[in-house]
């Protein structure tokens, strides 16, 4: 009980500072796409409104957990090495413990009892969720029987997908992600050395051709059944960067709901083929360039955190280590009342945040947008100390609006009360191009260092809503500059 109240407080609802404006009208804010309830059918909004990956707005309030019940894979990607496990590591394919279906259920029950934000359980590896599909389906059955309110989410490379669409639909799995990196087998052959299909191994162009056809078949069959499909594409500079527009066109034509462009993670220490041959990942600017090129009328996910296959918590936090099997002890029963309270709070918060944003917005002008970095631990509020942030959410801001465009990782500047100079250098790199950092608190020393780098830091909006505060900050700055210029 105490734990859950702490969780609610952590989003800032029960702090002693008031929101920017009072309470609520109606309406929610944006989606994982830019879409919200006004742009989506009621049926689709119902499916995405508390899914942290399918709705950008939901990711401020709702948590996912991954259960690592799928160790096997039926293909090889040049960016994957599932042997690597490090508790500081965060990328798909990596896990600390692999689970049997009954163990997974126990873990899910433990998380559900402690984390009222939990809305989605996903199977995303560490291999392919459909390479040993029975184990995946058995796990989902157990979870659905125990916690019917939890959404089931599945992530696959698509090779085995066409064989399982009926079962996915029957089980009520509403969200499926397919990783599609190419629609041209010539490009695919540079990403996939082999696949295992129909009891034999295929290589080169043939392998890529089969994978491509199976991915398209699976996507079409899922969307024909009304299942929401998100497509993940790994952006690999020099290989598929110029090709992702074609991928976007092909998947949208087949009904994909969202497209998520993920930067290649490539480090020789991970032992992947790409890491070892020096294939680099994209810079944040390159990633954004590709997203912006696709973004005019495509629904893009920009808030992906490239989670581990056993991640637990809000996107951007990983509480997986707290829920390792050997730490679980006696699992408390799930308390639906706690969740009801949480949902009521979130509904009110979303409405208040939207109202605050609308109140802060001014008429459209020809202002130049700037980037604002926000230290937050969720809830759509500026509620994290600068030194405790291991990522910043980045918004593009004018006095007419604030648009979430992504996040940038960093290292915590303050650990155990001590500041870390190396971490500050990492933070400065992460803040490249940013005009202002909004945080709950910041010390004089980092504030001065940021100022020396031309970055303003403000804790003036501590615990207030992100968008409304960013817009107000911009408008105030513009007004002050105009006054200074006319003086
Ligand atoms: Fe997990 Fe994926 Fe479902 Fe989300 S993650 S299976 S859709 S519940 Fe989300 Fe994590 Fe990005 Fe995946 S942030 S890696 S997109
Ligand atoms: Fe690794 Fe996933 Fe590719 Fe399989 S499909 S090789 S698990 S990244």
């Amino acid at each position: 009980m105490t734990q859950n109240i702490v969780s609610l407080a952590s989003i800032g609802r029960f702090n002693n500072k008031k929101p920017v404006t009072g309470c609520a009208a109606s309406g929610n804010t944006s989606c994982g796409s830019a879409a919200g309830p006004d742009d989506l059918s009621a049926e689709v909004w119902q499916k995405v409104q508390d899914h942290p990956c399918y709705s950008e707005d939901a990711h401020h309030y709702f948590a996912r957990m991954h259960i690592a019940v799928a160790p096997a894979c039926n293909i090889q990607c040049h960016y994957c090495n599932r042997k690597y496990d490090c508790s500081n590591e965060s990328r798909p394919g990596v896990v600390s413990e692999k689970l049997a279906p009954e163990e997974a259920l126990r873990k899910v029950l433990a998380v559900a009892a402690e984390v009222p934000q939990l809305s989605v359980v996903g199977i995303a590896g560490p291999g392919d969720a459909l390479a040993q599909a029975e184990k995946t389906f058995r796990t989902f059955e157990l979870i659905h029987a125990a916690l019917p309110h939890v959404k089931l989410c599945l992530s696959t490379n698509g090779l085995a997908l066409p064989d399982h669409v009926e079962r996915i639909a029957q089980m009520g799995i509403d969200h499926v992600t397919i990783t599609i990196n190419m629609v041209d087998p010539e490009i695919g052959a540079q990403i996939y050395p082999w696949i295992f299909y129909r009891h034999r191994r295929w290589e080169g162009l043939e392998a890529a051709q089969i994978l491509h056809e199976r991915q398209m078949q699976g996507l079409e069959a899922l969307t024909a059944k009304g299942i929401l499909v998100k497509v993940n594409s790994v952006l690999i500079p020099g290989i598929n960067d110029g090709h992702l527009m074609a991928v976007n066109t092909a998947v949208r034509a087949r009904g994909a709901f969202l497209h998520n462009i993920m930067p290649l993670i490539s480090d020789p220490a991970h032992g992947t083929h790409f890491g070892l041959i020096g294939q680099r990942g994209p810079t944040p600017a390159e990633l954004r360039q590709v997203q912006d090129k696709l973004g005019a009328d495509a629904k893009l996910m920009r808030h992906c955190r490239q989670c581990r296959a056993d991640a637990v918590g809000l996107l951007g936090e990983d509480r997986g280590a707290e829920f390792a099997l050997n730490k679980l002890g006696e699992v408390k029963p799930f308390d639906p009342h706690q969740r009801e309270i949480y949902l009521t709070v979130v509904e009110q918060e979303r409405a208040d945040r939207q109202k605050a944003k609308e109140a802060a917005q001014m008429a459209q002008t020809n202002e130049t947008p700037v980037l604002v970095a926000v230290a937050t631990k969720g809830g759509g509020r500026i509620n994290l100390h600068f030194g405790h942030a291991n990522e910043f959410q980045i918004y593009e801001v004018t006095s007419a609006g604030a648009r979430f465009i992504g996040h940038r990782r960093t290292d915590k500047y303050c650990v155990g009360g001590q500041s870390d100079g190396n971490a500050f250098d990492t933070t400065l790199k992460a803040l490249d191009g940013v005009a202002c950092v909004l945080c709950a608190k910041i010390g004089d020393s980092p504030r001065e260092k940021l100022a020396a780098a031309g970055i303003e830091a403000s804790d003036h909006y501590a615990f207030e809503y992100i968008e409304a505060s960013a817009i107000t900050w911009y408008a105030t700055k513009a007004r002050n500059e105009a006054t200074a210029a006319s003086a």
Side-chain angles (χ1 to χ4, degrees):
M1 178 80 173
T2 312
Q3 172 83 23
N4 288 344
I5 294 297
V6 169
S7 297
L8 293 171
S10 72
I11 71 167
R13 175 67 173 140
F14 297 129
N15 59 51
N16 50 17
K17 285 199 110 186
K18 288 202 172 105
V20 172
T21 66
C23 86
S26 60
N28 286 293
T29 50
S30 65
C31 184
S33 61
D38 296 340
D39 315 299
L40 301 168
S41 70
E43 191 195 356
V44 172
W45 178 244
Q46 183 63 31
K47 288 180 183 173
V48 303
Q49 64 178 339
D50 59 357
H51 194 307
C53 304
Y54 281 66
S55 160
E56 192 272 305
D57 184 70
H59 103 283
H60 295 288
Y61 305 105
F62 292 100
R64 53 66 182 113
M65 76 175 286
H66 287 165
I67 36 175
V69 294
C73 194
N74 46 10
I75 71 173
Q76 179 63 56
C77 306
H78 274 325
Y79 49 75
C80 178
N81 176 6
R82 298 188 308 282
K83 287 184 198 136
Y84 194 94
D85 179 22
C86 163
S87 60
N88 295 317
E89 180 67 355
S90 180
R91 64 195 164 92
V94 173
V95 295
S96 290
E97 60 186 2
K98 292 167 191 159
L99 306 171
E102 292 71 19
E103 291 171 322
L105 173 64
R106 189 165 137 71
K107 192 164 172 171
V108 172
L109 288 170
V111 173
E114 297 289 338
V115 182
Q117 296 98 328
L118 180 70
S119 61
V120 180
V121 172
I123 299 184
D128 185 73
L130 296 175
Q132 291 178 332
E134 274 316 309
K135 214 172 154 196
T136 291
F137 290 134
R138 167 82 186 130
T139 308
F140 276 153
E141 272 165 8
L142 290 172
I143 294 166
H144 184 64
L147 298 168
H149 70 279
V150 165
K151 285 185 170 33
L152 306 176
C153 194
L154 184 151
S155 178
T156 175
N157 60 43
L159 182 62
L161 181 57
D163 304 333
H164 300 292
V165 169
E166 282 300 329
R167 183 95 184 263
I168 288 170
Q170 277 164 12
M171 292 189 66
I173 299 169
D174 278 335
H175 301 82
V176 175
T177 295
I178 315 174
T179 299
I180 300 178
N181 298 320
M182 53 87 199
V183 289
D184 175 352
E186 296 275 353
I187 291 175
Q190 299 172 59
I191 303 170
Y192 307 103
W194 56 261
I195 66 168
F196 195 81
Y197 177 64
R198 300 284 187 248
H199 312 293
R200 63 164 275 210
R201 185 172 156 127
W202 305 73
E203 297 181 353
L205 265 185
E206 266 185 328
Q209 179 72 36
I210 293 168
L211 180 62
H212 165 58
E213 285 169 8
R214 300 282 291 173
Q215 288 176 333
M216 295 299 118
Q217 271 174 33
L219 169 58
E220 280 175 12
L222 287 172
T223 57
K225 289 190 177 297
I227 293 167
L228 296 183
V229 180
K230 173 165 69 59
V231 169
N232 284 355
S233 297
V234 180
L235 170 54
I236 311 165
I239 294 185
N240 71 351
D241 44 350
H243 178 61
L244 288 179
M245 183 61 95
V247 173
N248 184 264
T249 304
V251 302
R252 286 170 65 199
R254 289 167 177 81
F257 177 72
L258 265 183
H259 196 182
N260 174 24
I261 310 294
M262 312 165 87
L264 171 72
I265 298 174
S266 178
D267 181 333
H270 297 158
T272 65
H273 174 76
F274 278 156
L276 294 172
I277 66 166
Q279 168 64 53
R280 71 173 180 90
T283 63
E286 286 170 333
L287 174 65
R288 190 161 166 218
Q289 212 174 19
V290 172
Q291 288 174 328
D292 287 349
K293 220 160 130 190
L294 305 181
D297 57 350
K299 286 187 200 150
L300 287 187
M301 176 182 188
R302 293 176 189 254
H303 61 284
C304 175
R305 303 303 204 276
Q306 294 179 283
C307 325
R308 290 167 57 105
D310 58 4
V312 176
L314 296 176
L315 304 190
E317 72 174 1
D318 188 358
R319 300 177 57 185
E322 287 173 49
F323 296 98
L325 275 186
N326 61 4
K327 290 190 188 159
L328 291 187
E330 194 184 337
V331 174
K332 284 192 270 174
F334 170 67
D335 178 355
H337 182 59
Q338 279 293 314
R339 181 162 168 82
E340 283 307 315
I341 294 173
Y342 185 71
L343 292 179
T344 306
V345 169
V346 168
E347 201 180 328
Q348 186 68 60
E349 278 289 289
R350 279 177 140 168
D352 286 357
R353 187 169 134 234
Q354 176 69 4
K355 197 171 180 194
K357 179 176 161 184
E358 285 166 9
Q361 281 170 334
M362 301 190 175
Q364 188 73 44
T365 61
N366 290 328
E367 294 164 338
T368 307
V370 300
L371 298 185
V372 170
V374 177
T376 175
K377 54 184 173 184
R381 291 179 183 255
I382 301 161
N383 52 10
L384 189 60
H385 193 302
F386 172 81
H388 297 166
N390 52 17
E391 68 165 39
F392 293 99
Q393 293 192 2
I394 307 294
Y395 287 76
E396 192 178 71
V397 182
T398 64
S399 50
R403 184 171 71 105
F404 175 88
I405 58 162
H407 70 284
R408 302 212 192 139
R409 285 197 180 136
T410 183
D411 296 328
K412 285 184 187 173
Y413 168 64
C414 178
V415 180
Q418 301 295 316
S419 55
D420 176 343
N422 292 336
F424 192 82
D425 293 342
T426 309
T427 298
L428 266 189
K429 279 192 200 131
L431 294 175
D432 183 38
V434 163
C436 178
V437 180
L438 300 179
C439 54
K441 195 163 175 45
I442 183 167
D444 290 342
S445 168
R447 188 195 296 274
E448 283 160 19
K449 285 191 203 166
L450 286 173
I455 300 168
E456 181 181 338
S458 173
D459 50 16
H460 179 72
Y461 302 93
F463 301 107
E464 295 186 351
Y465 293 120
I466 294 170
E467 292 92 340
S469 302
I471 294 166
T472 306
W473 168 82
Y474 186 101
T476 308
K477 180 170 146 15
R479 215 170 28 245
N480 291 344
E481 284 172 359
T483 308
S486 64

